[in-house]
């Protein structure tokens, strides 16, 4: 039986692609705070935090609804999405072939939004926003309610429970397959797949979704705007596959780029290195790689700095 109190911030199945053993159980990670590299550790212990998706009911017990539904989504959809990406990109011999259809693209976008919403930067940003917005929102509700019913609910801790409020937001924006502005903005972007043929693998982290403004080089979900044409979203699927979501303007409005596969060779080494550098910047607690030497390189860089 799994330990419900130890929640994986990012699904464990995702990290299987970044393992270094044939059983897909072991990986390497760099701990940012301690500047230490851990070799051959279980992916069960990667990006895990106690009670991350749990909140307390009013009787003091833990509510596991969010964790249960996330686990179901991971089993039913994320596993198959990652598998499809790996299989299709490995089978295509010619890079000019279209790799995926619009249905695949929608599934991939849902996965990226899921990962982004689960990760710490988005969660911490949501908490800060809630600290500001929720009191104002509740005050407006109270003033507009002539029956005094809402005030009674607030007094009974129903609407004032910030954790419950945040978890409801996560449930509605990620688990409920409904249209949202964020999903629309993602879907309007061109989805490009890059296949890495070099000896330098892509790395990942506990914040695997990378936001970067290629005009001013600002990175992170709180420092970039999704509606900005210069903002690009990158997501490493495996050490050899990364997805890029570009605005139509950046792609010169050439629709044929959408869902297209591009090969990376040694001449693209700087781009791969740039992706890994961005992953280091956006990571919260840890960086993960199947190549221990890549992590030791960044460890040396951090120690020198």
């Amino acid at each position: 039986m799994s330990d419900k109190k130890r929640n994986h911030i990012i699904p464990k199945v995702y990290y299987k692609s970044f393992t270094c053993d044939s059983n897909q159980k072991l990986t390497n990670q760099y701990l940012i705070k301690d500047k230490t590299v851990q070799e051959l550790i279980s992916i069960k212990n990667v990006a895990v935090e106690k009670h991350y998706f749990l909140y307390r009911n009013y009787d003091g017990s833990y509510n596991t609804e969010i964790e249960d539904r996330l686990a179901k989504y991971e089993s039913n959809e994320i596993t198959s999405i990652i598998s499809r990406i790996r299989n299709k990109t490995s089978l295509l011999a010619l890079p000019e072939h279209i790799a995926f259809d619009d249905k695949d693209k929608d599934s991939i976008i849902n996965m990226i939004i899921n990962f982004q919403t689960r990760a710490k930067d988005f969660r911490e940003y949501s908490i800060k926003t809630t600290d500001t917005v929720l009191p104002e929102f509740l005050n407006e509700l109270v003033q507009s309610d002539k029956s005094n019913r809402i005030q009674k609910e607030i007094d009974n801790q129903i609407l004032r429970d910030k954790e419950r409020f945040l978890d409801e937001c996560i449930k509605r924006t990620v688990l409920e397959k409904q249209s949202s502005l964020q999903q629309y903005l993602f879907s309007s972007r061109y989805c490009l797949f890059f296949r890495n043929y070099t000896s330098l693998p892509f790395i990942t982290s506990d914040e695997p979704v990378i936001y970067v403004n290629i005009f001013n080089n600002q990175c992170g979900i709180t420092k970039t705007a999704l509606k900005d044409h210069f903002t690009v979203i990158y997501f490493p699927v495996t050490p050899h596959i990364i997805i890029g979501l570009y605005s139509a303007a950046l792609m010169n409005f050439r629709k044929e780029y959408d869902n297209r596969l591009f090969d990376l060779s040694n001449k693209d080494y700087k781009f791969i290195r740039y992706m890994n550098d961005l992953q280091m910047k956006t990571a919260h607690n840890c960086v993960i790689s199947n190549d221990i030497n890549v992590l030791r390189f960044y460890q040396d860089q951090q120690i020198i700095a």
Side-chain angles (χ1 to χ4, degrees):
M1 183 179 293
S2 61
D3 184 357
K4 290 285 187 183
K5 294 183 180 180
R6 294 180 75 249
N7 302 150
H8 281 87
I9 298 171
I10 302 298
K12 185 176 65 175
V13 66
Y14 166 69
Y15 292 121
K16 284 187 176 182
S17 298
F18 295 86
T19 51
C20 50
D21 67 315
S22 58
N23 294 321
Q24 294 187 309
K25 292 183 177 180
L26 303 175
T27 190
N28 311 298
Q29 73 173 354
Y30 172 68
L31 300 177
I32 295 173
K33 183 179 179 180
D34 299 329
K35 296 181 180 179
T36 58
V37 172
Q38 295 182 338
E39 187 174 1
L40 300 177
I41 65 164
S42 171
I43 58 172
K44 290 181 179 180
N45 299 319
V46 170
V48 174
E49 185 167 317
K50 196 172 183 180
H51 301 158
Y52 190 70
F53 291 115
L54 304 184
Y55 59 89
R56 288 190 180 276
N57 296 315
Y58 297 117
D59 62 2
S61 62
Y62 281 106
N63 189 309
T64 65
E65 179 189 7
I66 300 298
E67 172 68 10
D68 291 340
R69 296 183 68 180
L70 284 172
K72 186 176 180 180
Y73 174 71
E74 292 164 16
S75 302
N76 295 344
E77 300 196 37
I78 290 180
T79 302
S80 63
I81 295 168
I82 293 175
S83 178
R84 287 205 303 276
I85 294 172
R86 294 180 65 175
N87 292 338
K88 285 193 174 184
T89 51
S90 64
L91 289 174
L92 288 176
L94 298 175
E96 63 266 22
H97 286 169
I98 293 178
F100 297 88
D101 56 28
D102 288 339
K103 184 177 179 181
D104 286 326
K105 180 181 175 180
D106 288 341
S107 296
I108 290 166
I109 286 171
N110 284 334
M111 176 177 67
I112 292 175
I113 293 174
N114 180 287
F115 282 25
Q116 166 201 292
T117 309
R118 295 166 65 131
K120 278 192 171 272
D121 275 0
F122 183 90
R123 197 175 180 90
E124 291 182 356
Y125 176 75
S126 298
I127 290 173
K128 291 177 183 177
T129 304
T130 303
D131 283 338
T132 303
V133 174
L134 188 57
E136 297 174 0
F137 171 68
L138 295 180
N139 185 51
E140 289 180 6
L141 283 178
V142 170
Q143 291 181 359
S144 64
D145 179 41
K146 297 180 180 180
S147 67
N148 204 33
R149 178 179 60 84
I150 291 177
Q151 183 64 60
K152 291 179 181 177
E153 290 182 345
I154 293 174
D155 292 340
N156 289 331
Q157 303 287 322
I158 292 177
L159 288 178
R160 198 165 57 186
D161 188 334
K162 184 172 64 179
E163 288 188 5
R164 185 182 295 273
F165 178 81
L166 286 172
D167 283 321
E168 282 297 315
C169 289
I170 291 174
K171 183 169 63 177
R172 291 180 183 182
T173 58
V174 178
L175 298 175
E176 305 292 345
K177 294 290 186 67
Q178 59 184 10
S179 240
S180 69
L181 176 60
Q182 187 180 48
Q183 286 169 322
Y184 170 76
L185 290 172
F186 268 77
S187 299
S188 65
R189 290 174 170 266
Y190 292 172
C191 188
L192 280 62
F193 299 81
F194 297 96
R195 185 165 53 181
N196 181 357
Y197 277 114
T198 76
S199 59
L200 178 63
F202 293 119
I203 62 177
T204 190
S205 72
D206 55 350
E207 294 274 351
V209 182
I210 301 170
Y211 277 70
V212 60
N213 186 302
I214 61 173
F215 178 75
N216 57 26
N217 212 34
Q218 289 289 316
C219 62
I221 191 172
T222 61
K223 297 180 181 179
T224 55
L226 187 57
K227 64 180 181 180
D228 192 325
H229 293 318
F230 291 104
T231 296
V232 183
I233 299 96
Y234 292 104
F235 177 72
V237 184
T238 78
H240 303 290
I241 304 167
I242 196 168
I243 296 171
L245 295 171
Y246 296 81
S247 68
L250 282 179
M251 291 290 103
N252 296 318
F253 297 94
R254 293 181 62 179
K255 184 64 177 175
E256 64 267 25
Y257 284 135
D258 199 18
N259 292 337
R260 186 61 56 86
L261 176 68
F262 296 88
D263 282 344
L264 302 176
S265 61
N266 288 330
K267 65 181 176 61
D268 304 299
Y269 185 89
K270 286 185 178 179
F271 171 76
I272 300 168
R273 170 69 188 276
Y274 179 55
M275 290 297 99
N276 287 347
D277 289 347
L278 288 175
Q279 194 67 241
M280 280 293 300
K281 288 181 180 179
T282 58
H284 200 93
N285 293 318
C286 63
V287 179
I288 295 97
S289 177
N290 64 330
D291 189 333
I292 191 70
N293 293 321
V294 176
L295 297 183
R296 285 177 177 155
F297 167 79
Y298 282 107
Q299 179 187 34
D300 292 341
Q301 296 291 105
Q302 295 290 310
I303 291 175
I304 293 172

